[in-house]
Amino acid sequence: MRENPVKIAVLVSGGGTNLQALIDAQESGIIKSGKIELVIANNSGDYALERAAKAGIKTATVLKKELGSAEAFEQKIKDLLTENGIEIIVLAGFMAILSENFTKDYPKRIINVHPALIPSFCGKGFYGLHVHEVALEKGVKVSGATVHIVIPECDAGPIVLQRAVEVKQDDTPETLQLRIMQEAEWKILPEAVRLFCDGKIEVKENKVYIK
Ligand code: GAR
């Protein structure tokens, strides 16, 4: 068992309710072997930044518009991660797709929460509320959330945890989104981070084994 907690960065793009679930899990001692050292947002004014500041966590905003290119945007994030000695990166509602040039530098060290049961309703263009709109259009009776390891192919990395959530007949994309967050995302994301920080995750041939 190592003495110092694993240094975690959380990347966000919006309201940050998943970030909040991580902060709460840290404060209540569910995540003991890891510590959120840095929150990076890719939009200014994200409410997630306020949540981080309230919890006393260092924040940074990285804007692609200001930096001029996707390469410069990713390089800036990498620099921040290196400067802060980050070991694990959590994408918690982060809406930018990271290129292979980025992900290859952090093998098995980036995890993402996706608001559907992968391999359903995932890949390029499937993010945020749109995922739930398509799920309802398809008439699925069950949806849910997935935490997976990030590889260059979008939403295709090894699955760490999943939780199913019932779809109700009168659901709107908004009610389904909220129920999936409450019943699945806010539970399995902190649990996956805990498993990572405790060294309980093993990846073999694109599959996760929990020790
Ligand atoms: C969450 O539902 C998350 O799963 C989703 O965006 C929402 C962010 O909410 N992420 C994606 O769609 C990424 N593919 P939050 O900012 O309140 O955590």
Side-chain angles (χ1 to χ4, degrees), residues 14-19 92-95 112-115 126-128 131 177 181 185:
T17 63
N18 279 288
L19 167 67
F94 188 62
M95 300 306 183
N112 178 47
V113 61
H114 183 75
F126 282 90
Y127 58 86
V131 175
Q177 178 182 50
M181 283 176 157
E185 295 184 47

Side-chain angles (χ1 to χ4, degrees), residues 9-12 38 40-42 60-64 67 70-84 86 89 91 94 96-98 102 106:
V10 185
L11 273 54
V12 295
L38 177 66
I40 303 177
N42 70 337
T61 305
V62 181
L63 303 174
K64 201 182 279 181
L67 293 160
E71 290 75 26
F73 170 74
E74 290 189 348
Q75 188 55 51
K76 178 73 197 167
I77 297 177
K78 277 191 199 178
D79 292 346
L80 285 164
L81 297 173
T82 308
E83 279 160 26
N84 288 278
I86 299 301
I89 302 155
L91 309 183
F94 188 62
I97 293 183
L98 295 165
F102 185 98
Y106 306 95

Side-chain angles (χ1 to χ4, degrees), residues 30-74:
I30 293 170
I31 299 172
K32 280 202 203 80
S33 328
K35 187 161 184 283
I36 307 169
E37 293 284 343
L38 177 66
V39 170
I40 303 177
N42 70 337
N43 299 301
S44 42
D46 280 348
Y47 187 60
L49 291 169
E50 268 181 56
R51 295 181 190 270
K54 256 186 218 157
I57 301 165
K58 186 170 167 184
T59 62
T61 305
V62 181
L63 303 174
K64 201 182 279 181
K65 253 197 331 227
E66 249 173 33
L67 293 160
S69 69
E71 290 75 26
F73 170 74
E74 290 189 348

Side-chain angles (χ1 to χ4, degrees), residues 198-211:
D198 287 347
K200 302 259 188 231
I201 302 279
E202 198 178 335
V203 187
K204 273 193 263 166
E205 289 160 10
N206 211 37
K207 280 192 197 144
V208 166
Y209 295 85
I210 297 171
K211 295 190 255 179

